[in-house]
Structures are given as structure tokens and as C-alpha cells.
Amino acid sequence: MRATRQHASTSEATMNVLIIYATIEGQTRKIGDHLKATLEGEGHRVSAIDATVSQDVPAADTFDAVIVAAPVHAGTFPSTLRRIIKGAAKTLMARPGAFISVSLSAISDDPSELDEIGDMVEAFSNETGWWPVSIHHAAGALKYTEYDFFRRWMLKRISAKEGGPTDTSRDYEFTAWPKLDAFAIEFVEQAPVLAGKI
């Protein structure tokens, strides 16, 4: 599933990367864990914070770059994540940051849906005071077997409208792992250059 190189070359700096995420149905946690393994495979040191469990962000001198990941839910991002980012905005702004939104809109053929996610990210930054230097929209998952009747019915209708799967007897994962890896690896590799501009 992971597409990584064998090791970071000796000419590349080992980075301390902080990942902060919030999850609702578990896919964003899976993305956070995956990114941690991917970047560690590149030779970096990575720590992860689940904002639904902890609100403690370490001091800025303990990490070189931060990646924040959050699912779109009810037209926004989880309140637990908004709270931790707002509370630590000054610390986080001291280092280059990347934001990963997780939603099914990432696989839509309608460009207005991605524009809508972009607006949500901007609203998130306006609310929290944290502005990422790079943004990636990752597709999430349809976990039909875990939904209650109403949510399963609602998401089946939305999926059908988008031409997506409607068999509710199974789950579907749409995350493009190689693209996610490429985004994270490139961001971390560019972080030393970006840091000089902060």
C-alpha cells in the first residue's frame, strides 16, 4: 500500500515531523498512521497526536514541520481539531505546515466540490489563526457497514448521485495512498527551504 523509497539519502536532512489529526469514522486515523510509517520509512522522526484524545502540542523547538489532517463533517472540520490548532496556533505557525482534508469530494468530477473544500480550509485558518503552506485533498472512505440506517441511506443517495458505489453490504476505501505519500514526502523535503521564509 505504501510507496516509499528505501531510505532518505545521506544528503537529505532528517526531519522531526509532527502529525496532528482528528478522526470521526477512523479513516483519518488510518491516514495519520500511514503517513507516520511512510515518513519514518524515509528516515524522518515522526510523532502523532490524535486531537480527539489529547490537546497537548509540544514546543516548536521539538519539531521541524507539522502536518494536520482532518475529515470534513457536516460542512466543517471536527471541533476537537479546531480547538487544538487554535490553542497552539502561535507554536504551529513557527514551523512550515501542511493541511490534509479528508472527504469523498476529493474524488468528485465536479470542480465546485473541491472549491467548497478549499473554502472550508480557508474558514478553518481564519478561525484558528493557523495557515498551512501546502494543502492536499485526500479521498476518504464509505463505511456502509458501520453506519446507522439513516446515515447509510443518506450516503447511499449521495454516492448514487455521484456515480459511486451503492452496495451497502460492504465498505469502500478511496484514499489514493501513492498521491498522499508523494505529497507528504515532498512537503517534508521542502520544509527546510520553507522554514527560511517564515
Side-chain angles (χ1 to χ4, degrees):
M1 185 167 61
R2 275 195 304 124
T4 63
R5 296 170 297 184
Q6 291 293 330
H7 260 301
S9 70
T10 54
S11 63
E12 294 171 344
T14 296
M15 303 290 285
N16 293 305
V17 183
L18 175 64
I19 296 174
I20 304 174
Y21 66 87
T23 193
I24 293 175
E25 296 171 357
Q27 189 66 14
T28 309
R29 178 183 294 112
K30 185 174 182 179
I31 286 172
D33 291 343
H34 175 88
L35 288 177
K36 185 175 188 294
T38 294
L39 293 173
E40 287 176 340
E42 293 290 305
H44 303 296
R45 291 183 289 267
V46 186
S47 57
I49 297 173
D50 180 347
T52 59
V53 176
S54 173
Q55 292 284 302
D56 295 325
V57 173
D61 61 5
T62 64
F63 61 93
D64 304 304
V66 60
I67 298 174
V68 175
V72 173
H73 185 70
T76 187
F77 300 106
S79 59
T80 52
L81 185 82
R82 301 201 311 271
R83 188 160 50 248
I84 190 174
I85 301 302
K86 186 174 183 177
K90 185 176 180 180
T91 297
L92 297 176
M93 284 297 291
R95 298 291 180 263
F99 187 85
I100 298 171
S101 70
V102 182
S103 72
L104 294 178
S105 295
I107 57 172
S108 175
D109 292 328
D110 184 353
S112 68
E113 292 200 27
L114 277 183
D115 290 342
E116 189 175 336
I117 301 299
D119 291 342
M120 290 180 197
V121 174
E122 185 173 359
F124 174 83
S125 291
N126 280 321
E127 177 185 349
T128 62
W130 176 73
W131 295 85
V133 297
S134 192
I135 298 169
H136 178 74
H137 300 301
L142 272 174
K143 299 189 176 183
Y144 283 129
T145 63
E146 299 179 17
Y147 301 148
D148 60 27
F149 174 82
F150 175 73
R151 185 159 177 75
R152 185 164 51 246
W153 172 82
M154 179 182 68
L155 288 173
K156 179 180 177 180
R157 288 194 58 176
I158 293 171
S159 184
K161 182 180 176 184
E162 296 289 340
T166 57
D167 178 1
T168 59
S169 66
R170 51 165 294 196
D171 299 334
Y172 302 86
E173 183 178 79
F174 302 103
T175 307
W177 300 106
K179 288 183 179 180
L180 184 67
D181 289 344
F183 169 80
I185 291 168
E186 182 179 8
F187 164 69
V188 173
E189 286 178 349
Q190 292 297 316
V193 176
L194 296 170
K197 299 178 179 178
I198 292 178

